[in-house]
């Protein structure tokens, strides 16, 4: 499968069947914490990156090959900014015509300033946009957006979307130590959240390999501070544990590459996912994945992560 992956475990969305409508790192932001490498070049162009009919054909196939209870949500998420696909509204409507499962859209929220985008996302059951900064300077530092994707447009879009949207609006705040986990930074985010009025605020931490080597997750104190300042609707979302579904393709290597392209995995997590194979087979498979140029190992925080090979991560400087 080229566009559909998983289900993968998600703390908020249970076992989530992913739909990835754009090529790797097609994005109008270049977040310092992005787990998928750098966005080179940035793009703000909405177009049909992959044929919509081909994407839906895969969704239909994936839904047919799973039993009831194996998938909790169908989620548009992936290796770039989902809403850059010009057919996102059509895709949501088609998925909803195929299944009664709820549909979520994970987006950076930068295009919600467009009235047509707000309309396209309206049939989704949950939309999860980002708000990592409460001022334009920190937004540029953390999210490094395309020049057309200004902070004002982001905030105006979120406020307008909330007014029109009847589904669940869960705003994500990715906490980066020393940048947006300080009291002043959190107070500024809280002030904007008051205008947006989301249903929930999800506090996340970079737990997969951040593209920039200097990015660190917040500490326990920072999480407590965020929880206290962002209010009762805020909750800390810890990384999910659960099983990664490797079915749906003839090749195990392709199934693994399909997941790590959207969802880089810690090496121990990957080995656990492959536990039904002998340690010798797993080791041979990891070697093959790296050698055939489909995957790479990225080291962050002293942990080895597996990611897709075209993703660009600066390497750690030797101490
Ligand atoms: S985290 Fe999301 S919005 Fe940020 S650069 Fe990566 S894909 Fe784009």
């Amino acid at each position: 499968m080229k566009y559909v992956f998983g289900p993968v475990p998600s703390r908020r969305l249970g076992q989530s069947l992913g739909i990835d409508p754009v090529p790797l790192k097609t994005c109008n932001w270049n977040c310092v914490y992005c787990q998928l490498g750098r966005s080179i070049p940035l793009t703000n162009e909405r177009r049909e990156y992959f044929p919509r009919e081909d994407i839906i054909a895969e969704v239909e196939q994936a839904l047919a090959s799973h039993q009831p209870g194996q998938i909790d949500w169908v989620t548009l998420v992936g290796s770039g900014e989902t809403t850059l696909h010009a057919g996102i509204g059509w895709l949501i409507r088609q998925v909803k015509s195929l299944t009664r499962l709820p549909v979520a859209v994970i987006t950076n929220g930068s295009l919600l300033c467009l009235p047509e985008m707000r309309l396209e996302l309206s049939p989704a059951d949950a939309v999860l946009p980002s708000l990592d900064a409460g001022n334009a300077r920190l937004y540029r530092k953390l999210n490094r957006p395309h020049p057309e994707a200004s902070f004002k447009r982001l905030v105006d879009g979120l406020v307008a979307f909330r007014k029109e949207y009847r589904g669940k609006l869960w705003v994500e705040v990715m906490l980066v130590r020393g940048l947006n986990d300080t009291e002043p930074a959190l107070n500024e985010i809280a002030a904007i959240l008051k205008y947006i009025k989301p249903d929930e605020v999800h506090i996340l931490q970079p737990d997969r390999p951040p593209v920039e080597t200097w990015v660190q997750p917040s500490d326990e104190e920072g999480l407590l501070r965020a929880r206290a300042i962002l209010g009762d609707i805020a909750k800390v979302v810890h990384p999910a544990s659960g099983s990664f579904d490797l079915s749906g393709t003839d090749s195990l290597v392709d199934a693994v590459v399909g997941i790590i392209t959207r969802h880089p995995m810690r090496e121990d997590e990957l080995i656990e996912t492959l536990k039904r194979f002998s340690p010798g087979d797993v080791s041979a498979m990891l070697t093959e994945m790296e050698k055939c140029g489909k995957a790479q190992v990225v080291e962050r925080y002293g942990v080895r992560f597996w990611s897709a090979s075209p993703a660009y991560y600066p390497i750690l400087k030797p101490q």
Side-chain angles (χ1 to χ4, degrees), residues 25-31 38-45 84 143-147:
K25 284 318 305 262
T26 302
C27 196
N28 53 4
W29 285 7
N30 184 22
C31 304
R38 284 194 184 150
S39 313
I40 308 171
L42 282 178
T43 181
N44 203 34
E45 185 190 1
L84 286 172
N143 303 116
R144 303 186 299 193
H146 186 282

Side-chain angles (χ1 to χ4, degrees), residues 29 133 171 206 215:
W29 285 7
V171 171
V215 168

Side-chain angles (χ1 to χ4, degrees), residues 1-2 4 6 58 61 65 245-258 274 276-277 285 288 294:
M1 293 226 178
K2 275 173 75 179
V4 173
E58 281 196 3
Q61 198 187 328
S65 63
D245 188 327
L246 296 175
S247 63
T249 169
D250 296 339
S251 149
L252 186 60
V253 168
D254 286 348
V256 170
V257 170
L274 298 170
R276 65 192 150 106
F277 302 95
M285 202 197 89
E288 186 199 329
K294 291 184 174 173

Side-chain angles (χ1 to χ4, degrees), residues 113 136 139 149-157:
C113 54
Y139 165 67
S150 70
F151 183 64
K152 182 171 180 333
R153 282 165 71 86
L154 172 70
V155 174
D156 288 352

Side-chain angles (χ1 to χ4, degrees), residues 72 84 90 109 126 128-129 131 178 194 197 218 250 264 274 288:
D72 299 308
L84 286 172
W90 184 88
L128 291 80
L131 183 74
K194 277 202 182 113
K197 302 191 181 70
S218 191
D250 296 339
L274 298 170
E288 186 199 329

